[in-house]
Amino acid sequence: MSENKIPYKIYLSEDEVPKAWYNLRADMKNKPAPLLNPGTLKPLTAEELTPIFCEELVKQELDENTAFIDIPQEIRDFYRMFRPSPLIRAYCLEEKLKTPAKIYYKFEGNNTSGSHKLNSAIAQAYYAKKQGLKGVTTETGAGQWGTALSMACSYFDLDCKVYMVKVSYEQKPFRREVMRTYGASVVPSPSDTTEVGRKILAEFPGTTGSLGCAISEAVEVATKSEGYRYVLGSVLNQVLLHQSVIGLEAKAAMDKYGVKPDIIIGCAGGGSNLGGLIAPFMGEKLRGEADYRIIAVEPASCPSFTRGTYAYDFCDTGMICPLAKMYTLGSSFIPSANHAGGLRFHGMSSTLSQLYDDGYMEATSVEQTSVFEAAEQFARVEGILPAPESSHAIRVAIDEAMKCKETGEEKTILFGLTGTGYFDLVAYEKFHNGEMSDYIPTDEEIAASIAKLPKV
Amino acid sequence: MSENKIPYKIYLSEDEVPKAWYNLRADMKNKPAPLLNPGTLKPLTAEELTPIFCEELVKQELDENTAFIDIPQEIRDFYRMFRPSPLIRAYCLEEKLKTPAKIYYKFEGNNTSGSHKLNSAIAQAYYAKKQGLKGVTTETGAGQWGTALSMACSYFDLDCKVYMVKVSYEQKPFRREVMRTYGASVVPSPSDTTEVGRKILAEFPGTTGSLGCAISEAVEVATKSEGYRYVLGSVLNQVLLHQSVIGLEAKAAMDKYGVKPDIIIGCAGGGSNLGGLIAPFMGEKLRGEADYRIIAVEPASCPSFTRGTYAYDFCDTGMICPLAKMYTLGSSFIPSANHAGGLRFHGMSSTLSQLYDDGYMEATSVEQTSVFEAAEQFARVEGILPAPESSHAIRVAIDEAMKCKETGEEKTILFGLTGTGYFDLVAYEKFHNGEMSDYIPTDEEIAASIAKLPKV
């Protein structure tokens, strides 16, 4: 099909929505390092994980060999509400930038949770329900994961307890209300409802919280409550597995028009969106079938890939979770109150960390005000008000497109537009009023928290 | 194609998006009554209208004979960002209600303005730009129209001044910030920036405003500022013309699958969504080619169709606008602070008023808490958090589906889901906390404002 025929928005038909998730680990020669029991320092077994996670999800977490895992019909039925999501050709942005680059973005924000998080939330809720549980606990940063999980739990009639990073709880009261609309209970973290929360509050009074703290609290509640399990919106292998629908759809849509991306860009907090977006492309790269330049974008205020170290660490600030080998700033690192709450995590998915360490992808970090500049530029021409998290990818996509303008190269760029910024207007307001600050942690700060890494 | 083959979401391809708007008036035997000059009581001429409205829009306003008006390429380019919008089969809602009815909704909320308003905003901004104007002024209720116009003006680099109904300005600070993101200036109405605003404030201190007041202020500023014109998001014929894309797409999508609605339901404030949604269906009805039951749904707190009178009235509270013949509660009627800000208008589109008077459609009114009950029920199963305005249509669609359950009839229901409720969480919060009240105006209140209608 000729280039001119490519529509602004490429929708797949319902029967083109993937029927199986793609498990990237199956194609990795160097598998991601296993989770360790922090007491014994030995790989965690399924038996040890089942008190925390749902059984079926433990299986998925530990399965590093099955390339495709069927998506249950109940989940596919729910996916129909918001999938297939559109792959959009950013003609207006290209024209505004006067770049010869061809820019595409996969937009995951066309659902009430406002982001890609719903892809995994519904899967996790489904397996919890199937196991006969009463409910689940979780943490949420920007509120996107919590909203998604609330929607999913409401659909399957499960109880849902959400620990929300305090800074987001305060900055995003409306997110909180959406969660309540779907029946969830929402607690600002750190809170005095858990032992670990009380400990963190005592050590760091006035902290605005972090994903790490909130995870500790949610895990504590799940393991101490009958009929509850903990679910996580990022970092874990199972989450990347579910999120592979993003990349599978994006690739199917591009294949349909004979388009092959040169550069694939995603924002990276814990890795859920990035891991999902790149999955099938990275698979081809791992199998030597194709080559792509893959770029992870993180906030300069929380730069785990670009300034962290590759080591075993706790996933949570409270140090009660299993140990994961990952690029990390140290679980005691508490990032500044950057508005992209969803990217304020000290570590990174083990799978992505291994791929990054093996040189299969690049990483870069960007500062907040330049991210909001890109967000506003994008909104004004493409119409969609992007989430601050997604705008990290927009920033780098624009930068790459401008490089093409200099060199005259007609590169094809694909980036993940993970969500909308409708609940981030407080941050936009600060940006407009010139009240937004860029905070970059010092080398000493990072060295201090890395020095506290567990000895493995 | 068999019934089972109907997907959850029917998307048209880009080349199926309408290339011309449909002008319903061309098929009406009884044309809507003309706008009158309030001084002479004679029909307004194009010359009299051009100081207020853009020239091309005046032509469209007065053209009651051309059935199809081409959509300029620049507008169609912009439409591509968010059109075609999906027609969704509400399988999940049907299952929840256990109704034999088949429910479809045309969802116009998948754009940053969050509603259908963008369909007309971009057209009006385009014609203003083409005329070489500096900018436009307008009013906004819930903020949807203002947001849409801000986006459109930003796209064409036009100045945009928005008078926002005070109750919405206060309840929806985030809407205000979105408008500012797109570069608009936003003033709460009634304000002390206009003569009419100062007059209304003196007469009704403490008023939370109404669309009528805000229109007066915006018109005053437009007519007194060089290079500015006034644009309106509803009521006018030109707006219904632009909004016909909703109905044209919906009908094209249904035709594609051989589906014919029995009942078509839309919320009605000034009539922009309803007029657009029903346009091609009503056209068939007027030409005797098909029959449909068409229902307008209005809030019980502002019941212009169901409790108003059909007469000439001012479109604005300040009585500086032209006179329009319409179903009205009287331009001095100030509705209670009902949360569906977009439906708080005392009158109704002249075109729809004529059709209603001629018996081509029905109208019903619903109370706020029952509307939010329907909204929450819908959100939990269909995933989308609806705008309060749209939820009026949901309420009646559910009621009609439940009647089908009683009778066993397999009716096909189509309703307009005009937008999302992401900026209406204050209202949702009140609903959850049991703090929402239903206000129904007394007969005396309505009689008092109707008694003040101009003598024509």
Side-chain angles (χ1 to χ4, degrees), chain A residues 404-426:
Chain A
C404 288
K405 188 176 175 178
E406 279 174 36
T407 62
E409 286 174 291
E410 292 188 20
K411 286 188 181 164
T412 297
I413 298 170
L414 166 66
F415 73 87
L417 188 69
T418 57
T420 52
Y422 305 147
F423 295 99
D424 301 284
L425 272 304
V426 171

mmCIF file with all atom_site columns, all heavy atoms in Angstrom, chain A residues 404-426:
data_model
loop_
_atom_site.group_PDB
_atom_site.id
_atom_site.type_symbol
_atom_site.label_atom_id
_atom_site.label_alt_id
_atom_site.label_comp_id
_atom_site.label_asym_id
_atom_site.label_entity_id
_atom_site.label_seq_id
_atom_site.pdbx_PDB_ins_code
_atom_site.Cartn_x
_atom_site.Cartn_y
_atom_site.Cartn_z
_atom_site.occupancy
_atom_site.B_iso_or_equiv
_atom_site.pdbx_formal_charge
_atom_site.auth_seq_id
_atom_site.auth_comp_id
_atom_site.auth_asym_id
_atom_site.auth_atom_id
_atom_site.pdbx_PDB_model_num
ATOM 1   N N   . CYS A 1 404 ? 16.394  14.444 12.608 1.00 0.00 ? 404 CYS A N   1
ATOM 2   C CA  . CYS A 1 404 ? 16.114  14.048 11.217 1.00 0.00 ? 404 CYS A CA  1
ATOM 3   C C   . CYS A 1 404 ? 16.010  15.289 10.326 1.00 0.00 ? 404 CYS A C   1
ATOM 4   O O   . CYS A 1 404 ? 16.390  15.269 9.164  1.00 0.00 ? 404 CYS A O   1
ATOM 5   C CB  . CYS A 1 404 ? 14.806  13.268 11.129 1.00 0.00 ? 404 CYS A CB  1
ATOM 6   S SG  . CYS A 1 404 ? 14.907  11.618 11.812 1.00 0.00 ? 404 CYS A SG  1
ATOM 7   N N   . LYS A 1 405 ? 15.447  16.347 10.889 1.00 0.00 ? 405 LYS A N   1
ATOM 8   C CA  . LYS A 1 405 ? 15.314  17.591 10.134 1.00 0.00 ? 405 LYS A CA  1
ATOM 9   C C   . LYS A 1 405 ? 16.706  18.113 9.768  1.00 0.00 ? 405 LYS A C   1
ATOM 10  O O   . LYS A 1 405 ? 16.934  18.553 8.633  1.00 0.00 ? 405 LYS A O   1
ATOM 11  C CB  . LYS A 1 405 ? 14.571  18.622 10.985 1.00 0.00 ? 405 LYS A CB  1
ATOM 12  C CG  . LYS A 1 405 ? 14.202  19.895 10.262 1.00 0.00 ? 405 LYS A CG  1
ATOM 13  C CD  . LYS A 1 405 ? 13.386  20.786 11.187 1.00 0.00 ? 405 LYS A CD  1
ATOM 14  C CE  . LYS A 1 405 ? 13.108  22.121 10.551 1.00 0.00 ? 405 LYS A CE  1
ATOM 15  N NZ  . LYS A 1 405 ? 12.274  22.958 11.443 1.00 0.00 ? 405 LYS A NZ  1
ATOM 16  N N   . GLU A 1 406 ? 17.639  18.029 10.711 1.00 0.00 ? 406 GLU A N   1
ATOM 17  C CA  . GLU A 1 406 ? 19.011  18.470 10.441 1.00 0.00 ? 406 GLU A CA  1
ATOM 18  C C   . GLU A 1 406 ? 19.691  17.621 9.382  1.00 0.00 ? 406 GLU A C   1
ATOM 19  O O   . GLU A 1 406 ? 20.358  18.119 8.483  1.00 0.00 ? 406 GLU A O   1
ATOM 20  C CB  . GLU A 1 406 ? 19.854  18.416 11.722 1.00 0.00 ? 406 GLU A CB  1
ATOM 21  C CG  . GLU A 1 406 ? 19.658  19.619 12.618 1.00 0.00 ? 406 GLU A CG  1
ATOM 22  C CD  . GLU A 1 406 ? 20.406  19.442 13.937 1.00 0.00 ? 406 GLU A CD  1
ATOM 23  O OE1 . GLU A 1 406 ? 21.511  18.847 13.927 1.00 0.00 ? 406 GLU A OE1 1
ATOM 24  O OE2 . GLU A 1 406 ? 19.872  19.881 14.976 1.00 0.00 ? 406 GLU A OE2 1
ATOM 25  N N   . THR A 1 407 ? 19.523  16.300 9.523  1.00 0.00 ? 407 THR A N   1
ATOM 26  C CA  . THR A 1 407 ? 20.243  15.383 8.630  1.00 0.00 ? 407 THR A CA  1
ATOM 27  C C   . THR A 1 407 ? 19.471  15.090 7.351  1.00 0.00 ? 407 THR A C   1
ATOM 28  O O   . THR A 1 407 ? 20.027  14.561 6.400  1.00 0.00 ? 407 THR A O   1
ATOM 29  C CB  . THR A 1 407 ? 20.488  14.031 9.331  1.00 0.00 ? 407 THR A CB  1
ATOM 30  O OG1 . THR A 1 407 ? 19.210  13.453 9.644  1.00 0.00 ? 407 THR A OG1 1
ATOM 31  C CG2 . THR A 1 407 ? 21.288  14.205 10.609 1.00 0.00 ? 407 THR A CG2 1
ATOM 32  N N   . GLY A 1 408 ? 18.157  15.405 7.352  1.00 0.00 ? 408 GLY A N   1
ATOM 33  C CA  . GLY A 1 408 ? 17.341  15.096 6.186  1.00 0.00 ? 408 GLY A CA  1
ATOM 34  C C   . GLY A 1 408 ? 16.910  13.631 6.113  1.00 0.00 ? 408 GLY A C   1
ATOM 35  O O   . GLY A 1 408 ? 16.321  13.204 5.123  1.00 0.00 ? 408 GLY A O   1
ATOM 36  N N   . GLU A 1 409 ? 17.178  12.893 7.175  1.00 0.00 ? 409 GLU A N   1
ATOM 37  C CA  . GLU A 1 409 ? 16.794  11.475 7.165  1.00 0.00 ? 409 GLU A CA  1
ATOM 38  C C   . GLU A 1 409 ? 15.294  11.297 7.393  1.00 0.00 ? 409 GLU A C   1
ATOM 39  O O   . GLU A 1 409 ? 14.719  11.925 8.275  1.00 0.00 ? 409 GLU A O   1
ATOM 40  C CB  . GLU A 1 409 ? 17.555  10.719 8.263  1.00 0.00 ? 409 GLU A CB  1
ATOM 41  C CG  . GLU A 1 409 ? 19.017  10.483 7.937  1.00 0.00 ? 409 GLU A CG  1
ATOM 42  C CD  . GLU A 1 409 ? 19.741  9.868  9.136  1.00 0.00 ? 409 GLU A CD  1
ATOM 43  O OE1 . GLU A 1 409 ? 19.913  10.579 10.140 1.00 0.00 ? 409 GLU A OE1 1
ATOM 44  O OE2 . GLU A 1 409 ? 20.117  8.697  9.047  1.00 0.00 ? 409 GLU A OE2 1
ATOM 45  N N   . GLU A 1 410 ? 14.689  10.405 6.610  1.00 0.00 ? 410 GLU A N   1
ATOM 46  C CA  . GLU A 1 410 ? 13.252  10.145 6.759  1.00 0.00 ? 410 GLU A CA  1
ATOM 47  C C   . GLU A 1 410 ? 13.008  8.968  7.683  1.00 0.00 ? 410 GLU A C   1
ATOM 48  O O   . GLU A 1 410 ? 12.431  7.951  7.272  1.00 0.00 ? 410 GLU A O   1
ATOM 49  C CB  . GLU A 1 410 ? 12.621  9.855  5.395  1.00 0.00 ? 410 GLU A CB  1
ATOM 50  C CG  . GLU A 1 410 ? 12.598  11.039 4.471  1.00 0.00 ? 410 GLU A CG  1
ATOM 51  C CD  . GLU A 1 410 ? 11.783  10.762 3.213  1.00 0.00 ? 410 GLU A CD  1
ATOM 52  O OE1 . GLU A 1 410 ? 10.953  9.836  3.209  1.00 0.00 ? 410 GLU A OE1 1
ATOM 53  O OE2 . GLU A 1 410 ? 12.007  11.483 2.228  1.00 0.00 ? 410 GLU A OE2 1
ATOM 54  N N   . LYS A 1 411 ? 13.449  9.084  8.905  1.00 0.00 ? 411 LYS A N   1
ATOM 55  C CA  . LYS A 1 411 ? 13.287  7.950  9.822  1.00 0.00 ? 411 LYS A CA  1
ATOM 56  C C   . LYS A 1 411 ? 11.843  7.787  10.275 1.00 0.00 ? 411 LYS A C   1
ATOM 57  O O   . LYS A 1 411 ? 11.087  8.747  10.353 1.00 0.00 ? 411 LYS A O   1
ATOM 58  C CB  . LYS A 1 411 ? 14.182  8.139  11.036 1.00 0.00 ? 411 LYS A CB  1
ATOM 59  C CG  . LYS A 1 411 ? 15.641  7.897  10.723 1.00 0.00 ? 411 LYS A CG  1
ATOM 60  C CD  . LYS A 1 411 ? 16.500  7.894  11.957 1.00 0.00 ? 411 LYS A CD  1
ATOM 61  C CE  . LYS A 1 411 ? 17.953  7.677  11.553 1.00 0.00 ? 411 LYS A CE  1
ATOM 62  N NZ  . LYS A 1 411 ? 18.878  8.036  12.638 1.00 0.00 ? 411 LYS A NZ  1
ATOM 63  N N   . THR A 1 412 ? 11.500  6.555  10.572 1.00 0.00 ? 412 THR A N   1
ATOM 64  C CA  . THR A 1 412 ? 10.177  6.273  11.116 1.00 0.00 ? 412 THR A CA  1
ATOM 65  C C   . THR A 1 412 ? 10.305  6.068  12.621 1.00 0.00 ? 412 THR A C   1
ATOM 66  O O   . THR A 1 412 ? 11.070  5.224  13.079 1.00 0.00 ? 412 THR A O   1
ATOM 67  C CB  . THR A 1 412 ? 9.568   5.017  10.462 1.00 0.00 ? 412 THR A CB  1
ATOM 68  O OG1 . THR A 1 412 ? 9.393   5.287  9.066  1.00 0.00 ? 412 THR A OG1 1
ATOM 69  C CG2 . THR A 1 412 ? 8.228   4.669  11.080 1.00 0.00 ? 412 THR A CG2 1
ATOM 70  N N   . ILE A 1 413 ? 9.560   6.914  13.360 1.00 0.00 ? 413 ILE A N   1
ATOM 71  C CA  . ILE A 1 413 ? 9.631   6.894  14.819 1.00 0.00 ? 413 ILE A CA  1
ATOM 72  C C   . ILE A 1 413 ? 8.295   6.397  15.374 1.00 0.00 ? 413 ILE A C   1
ATOM 73  O O   . ILE A 1 413 ? 7.239   6.853  14.954 1.00 0.00 ? 413 ILE A O   1
ATOM 74  C CB  . ILE A 1 413 ? 9.906   8.319  15.359 1.00 0.00 ? 413 ILE A CB  1
ATOM 75  C CG1 . ILE A 1 413 ? 11.268  8.822  14.842 1.00 0.00 ? 413 ILE A CG1 1
ATOM 76  C CG2 . ILE A 1 413 ? 9.842   8.351  16.882 1.00 0.00 ? 413 ILE A CG2 1
ATOM 77  C CD1 . ILE A 1 413 ? 11.533  10.303 15.108 1.00 0.00 ? 413 ILE A CD1 1
ATOM 78  N N   . LEU A 1 414 ? 8.374   5.468  16.287 1.00 0.00 ? 414 LEU A N   1
ATOM 79  C CA  . LEU A 1 414 ? 7.166   5.005  16.993 1.00 0.00 ? 414 LEU A CA  1
ATOM 80  C C   . LEU A 1 414 ? 7.355   5.305  18.467 1.00 0.00 ? 414 LEU A C   1
ATOM 81  O O   . LEU A 1 414 ? 8.383   4.963  19.045 1.00 0.00 ? 414 LEU A O   1
ATOM 82  C CB  . LEU A 1 414 ? 6.993   3.491  16.804 1.00 0.00 ? 414 LEU A CB  1
ATOM 83  C CG  . LEU A 1 414 ? 5.988   2.795  17.743 1.00 0.00 ? 414 LEU A CG  1
ATOM 84  C CD1 . LEU A 1 414 ? 4.561   3.261  17.495 1.00 0.00 ? 414 LEU A CD1 1
ATOM 85  C CD2 . LEU A 1 414 ? 6.074   1.265  17.578 1.00 0.00 ? 414 LEU A CD2 1
ATOM 86  N N   . PHE A 1 415 ? 6.345   5.982  19.066 1.00 0.00 ? 415 PHE A N   1
ATOM 87  C CA  . PHE A 1 415 ? 6.452   6.124  20.526 1.00 0.00 ? 415 PHE A CA  1
ATOM 88  C C   . PHE A 1 415 ? 5.136   5.750  21.201 1.00 0.00 ? 415 PHE A C   1
ATOM 89  O O   . PHE A 1 415 ? 4.083   5.713  20.558 1.00 0.00 ? 415 PHE A O   1
ATOM 90  C CB  . PHE A 1 415 ? 6.938   7.521  20.938 1.00 0.00 ? 415 PHE A CB  1
ATOM 91  C CG  . PHE A 1 415 ? 5.950   8.650  20.781 1.00 0.00 ? 415 PHE A CG  1
ATOM 92  C CD1 . PHE A 1 415 ? 5.049   8.961  21.785 1.00 0.00 ? 415 PHE A CD1 1
ATOM 93  C CD2 . PHE A 1 415 ? 5.944   9.424  19.625 1.00 0.00 ? 415 PHE A CD2 1
ATOM 94  C CE1 . PHE A 1 415 ? 4.162   10.015 21.642 1.00 0.00 ? 415 PHE A CE1 1
ATOM 95  C CE2 . PHE A 1 415 ? 5.058   10.486 19.476 1.00 0.00 ? 415 PHE A CE2 1
ATOM 96  C CZ  . PHE A 1 415 ? 4.164   10.778 20.485 1.00 0.00 ? 415 PHE A CZ  1
ATOM 97  N N   . GLY A 1 416 ? 5.245   5.471  22.489 1.00 0.00 ? 416 GLY A N   1
ATOM 98  C CA  . GLY A 1 416 ? 4.060   5.074  23.251 1.00 0.00 ? 416 GLY A CA  1
ATOM 99  C C   . GLY A 1 416 ? 3.444   6.286  23.922 1.00 0.00 ? 416 GLY A C   1
ATOM 100 O O   . GLY A 1 416 ? 4.100   6.958  24.722 1.00 0.00 ? 416 GLY A O   1
ATOM 101 N N   . LEU A 1 417 ? 2.187   6.596  23.559 1.00 0.00 ? 417 LEU A N   1
ATOM 102 C CA  . LEU A 1 417 ? 1.455   7.650  24.269 1.00 0.00 ? 417 LEU A CA  1
ATOM 103 C C   . LEU A 1 417 ? 0.579   6.902  25.272 1.00 0.00 ? 417 LEU A C   1
ATOM 104 O O   . LEU A 1 417 ? -0.537  6.495  24.971 1.00 0.00 ? 417 LEU A O   1
ATOM 105 C CB  . LEU A 1 417 ? 0.610   8.489  23.316 1.00 0.00 ? 417 LEU A CB  1
ATOM 106 C CG  . LEU A 1 417 ? -0.021  9.713  23.992 1.00 0.00 ? 417 LEU A CG  1
ATOM 107 C CD1 . LEU A 1 417 ? 1.042   10.745 24.352 1.00 0.00 ? 417 LEU A CD1 1
ATOM 108 C CD2 . LEU A 1 417 ? -1.089  10.346 23.127 1.00 0.00 ? 417 LEU A CD2 1
ATOM 109 N N   . THR A 1 418 ? 1.136   6.740  26.475 1.00 0.00 ? 418 THR A N   1
ATOM 110 C CA  . THR A 1 418 ? 0.528   5.813  27.428 1.00 0.00 ? 418 THR A CA  1
ATOM 111 C C   . THR A 1 418 ? -0.781  6.302  28.008 1.00 0.00 ? 418 THR A C   1
ATOM 112 O O   . THR A 1 418 ? -1.597  5.500  28.436 1.00 0.00 ? 418 THR A O   1
ATOM 113 C CB  . THR A 1 418 ? 1.496   5.550  28.589 1.00 0.00 ? 418 THR A CB  1
ATOM 114 O OG1 . THR A 1 418 ? 1.825   6.824  29.188 1.00 0.00 ? 418 THR A OG1 1
ATOM 115 C CG2 . THR A 1 418 ? 2.773   4.925  28.080 1.00 0.00 ? 418 THR A CG2 1
ATOM 116 N N   . GLY A 1 419 ? -0.965  7.636  28.060 1.00 0.00 ? 419 GLY A N   1
ATOM 117 C CA  . GLY A 1 419 ? -2.199  8.098  28.690 1.00 0.00 ? 419 GLY A CA  1
ATOM 118 C C   . GLY A 1 419 ? -2.454  9.574  28.533 1.00 0.00 ? 419 GLY A C   1
ATOM 119 O O   . GLY A 1 419 ? -1.656  10.308 27.934 1.00 0.00 ? 419 GLY A O   1
ATOM 120 N N   . THR A 1 420 ? -3.575  9.998  29.107 1.00 0.00 ? 420 THR A N   1
ATOM 121 C CA  . THR A 1 420 ? -4.004  11.390 29.014 1.00 0.00 ? 420 THR A CA  1
ATOM 122 C C   . THR A 1 420 ? -3.690  12.147 30.307 1.00 0.00 ? 420 THR A C   1
ATOM 123 O O   . THR A 1 420 ? -3.567  11.543 31.369 1.00 0.00 ? 420 THR A O   1
ATOM 124 C CB  . THR A 1 420 ? -5.519  11.464 28.774 1.00 0.00 ? 420 THR A CB  1
ATOM 125 O OG1 . THR A 1 420 ? -6.165  10.667 29.772 1.00 0.00 ? 420 THR A OG1 1
ATOM 126 C CG2 . THR A 1 420 ? -5.877  10.957 27.401 1.00 0.00 ? 420 THR A CG2 1
ATOM 127 N N   . GLY A 1 421 ? -3.614  13.469 30.198 1.00 0.00 ? 421 GLY A N   1
ATOM 128 C CA  . GLY A 1 421 ? -3.256  14.294 31.343 1.00 0.00 ? 421 GLY A CA  1
ATOM 129 C C   . GLY A 1 421 ? -4.437  15.002 31.978 1.00 0.00 ? 421 GLY A C   1
ATOM 130 O O   . GLY A 1 421 ? -4.260  16.013 32.650 1.00 0.00 ? 421 GLY A O   1
ATOM 131 N N   . TYR A 1 422 ? -5.647  14.459 31.792 1.00 0.00 ? 422 TYR A N   1
ATOM 132 C CA  . TYR A 1 422 ? -6.831  15.153 32.295 1.00 0.00 ? 422 TYR A CA  1
ATOM 133 C C   . TYR A 1 422 ? -6.802  15.331 33.809 1.00 0.00 ? 422 TYR A C   1
ATOM 134 O O   . TYR A 1 422 ? -7.464  16.200 34.349 1.00 0.00 ? 422 TYR A O   1
ATOM 135 C CB  . TYR A 1 422 ? -8.111  14.419 31.896 1.00 0.00 ? 422 TYR A CB  1
ATOM 136 C CG  . TYR A 1 422 ? -8.255  14.186 30.418 1.00 0.00 ? 422 TYR A CG  1
ATOM 137 C CD1 . TYR A 1 422 ? -8.896  13.047 29.936 1.00 0.00 ? 422 TYR A CD1 1
ATOM 138 C CD2 . TYR A 1 422 ? -7.749  15.095 29.486 1.00 0.00 ? 422 TYR A CD2 1
ATOM 139 C CE1 . TYR A 1 422 ? -9.030  12.818 28.575 1.00 0.00 ? 422 TYR A CE1 1
ATOM 140 C CE2 . TYR A 1 422 ? -7.878  14.871 28.128 1.00 0.00 ? 422 TYR A CE2 1
ATOM 141 C CZ  . TYR A 1 422 ? -8.523  13.730 27.680 1.00 0.00 ? 422 TYR A CZ  1
ATOM 142 O OH  . TYR A 1 422 ? -8.659  13.492 26.340 1.00 0.00 ? 422 TYR A OH  1
ATOM 143 N N   . PHE A 1 423 ? -6.067  14.463 34.500 1.00 0.00 ? 423 PHE A N   1
ATOM 144 C CA  . PHE A 1 423 ? -6.009  14.553 35.952 1.00 0.00 ? 423 PHE A CA  1
ATOM 145 C C   . PHE A 1 423 ? -4.677  15.159 36.407 1.00 0.00 ? 423 PHE A C   1
ATOM 146 O O   . PHE A 1 423 ? -4.300  15.028 37.553 1.00 0.00 ? 423 PHE A O   1
ATOM 147 C CB  . PHE A 1 423 ? -6.244  13.177 36.571 1.00 0.00 ? 423 PHE A CB  1
ATOM 148 C CG  . PHE A 1 423 ? -7.626  12.664 36.306 1.00 0.00 ? 423 PHE A CG  1
ATOM 149 C CD1 . PHE A 1 423 ? -7.872  11.765 35.286 1.00 0.00 ? 423 PHE A CD1 1
ATOM 150 C CD2 . PHE A 1 423 ? -8.693  13.122 37.055 1.00 0.00 ? 423 PHE A CD2 1
ATOM 151 C CE1 . PHE A 1 423 ? -9.148  11.312 35.021 1.00 0.00 ? 423 PHE A CE1 1
ATOM 152 C CE2 . PHE A 1 423 ? -9.977  12.677 36.804 1.00 0.00 ? 423 PHE A CE2 1
ATOM 153 C CZ  . PHE A 1 423 ? -10.212 11.775 35.789 1.00 0.00 ? 423 PHE A CZ  1
ATOM 154 N N   . ASP A 1 424 ? -3.982  15.768 35.482 1.00 0.00 ? 424 ASP A N   1
ATOM 155 C CA  . ASP A 1 424 ? -2.669  16.335 35.786 1.00 0.00 ? 424 ASP A CA  1
ATOM 156 C C   . ASP A 1 424 ? -2.653  17.842 35.601 1.00 0.00 ? 424 ASP A C   1
ATOM 157 O O   . ASP A 1 424 ? -1.609  18.430 35.359 1.00 0.00 ? 424 ASP A O   1
ATOM 158 C CB  . ASP A 1 424 ? -1.617  15.679 34.880 1.00 0.00 ? 424 ASP A CB  1
ATOM 159 C CG  . ASP A 1 424 ? -1.571  14.175 35.060 1.00 0.00 ? 424 ASP A CG  1
ATOM 160 O OD1 . ASP A 1 424 ? -1.013  13.749 36.078 1.00 0.00 ? 424 ASP A OD1 1
ATOM 161 O OD2 . ASP A 1 424 ? -2.126  13.443 34.226 1.00 0.00 ? 424 ASP A OD2 1
ATOM 162 N N   . LEU A 1 425 ? -3.838  18.454 35.717 1.00 0.00 ? 425 LEU A N   1
ATOM 163 C CA  . LEU A 1 425 ? -3.921  19.883 35.424 1.00 0.00 ? 425 LEU A CA  1
ATOM 164 C C   . LEU A 1 425 ? -3.236  20.739 36.463 1.00 0.00 ? 425 LEU A C   1
ATOM 165 O O   . LEU A 1 425 ? -2.839  21.874 36.176 1.00 0.00 ? 425 LEU A O   1
ATOM 166 C CB  . LEU A 1 425 ? -5.379  20.306 35.232 1.00 0.00 ? 425 LEU A CB  1
ATOM 167 C CG  . LEU A 1 425 ? -5.924  20.181 33.807 1.00 0.00 ? 425 LEU A CG  1
ATOM 168 C CD1 . LEU A 1 425 ? -5.050  20.956 32.837 1.00 0.00 ? 425 LEU A CD1 1
ATOM 169 C CD2 . LEU A 1 425 ? -6.060  18.771 33.329 1.00 0.00 ? 425 LEU A CD2 1
ATOM 170 N N   . VAL A 1 426 ? -3.075  20.209 37.677 1.00 0.00 ? 426 VAL A N   1
ATOM 171 C CA  . VAL A 1 426 ? -2.330  20.960 38.690 1.00 0.00 ? 426 VAL A CA  1
ATOM 172 C C   . VAL A 1 426 ? -0.892  21.157 38.204 1.00 0.00 ? 426 VAL A C   1
ATOM 173 O O   . VAL A 1 426 ? -0.331  22.251 38.299 1.00 0.00 ? 426 VAL A O   1
ATOM 174 C CB  . VAL A 1 426 ? -2.364  20.237 40.056 1.00 0.00 ? 426 VAL A CB  1
ATOM 175 C CG1 . VAL A 1 426 ? -1.404  20.901 41.036 1.00 0.00 ? 426 VAL A CG1 1
ATOM 176 C CG2 . VAL A 1 426 ? -3.775  20.234 40.619 1.00 0.00 ? 426 VAL A CG2 1
#
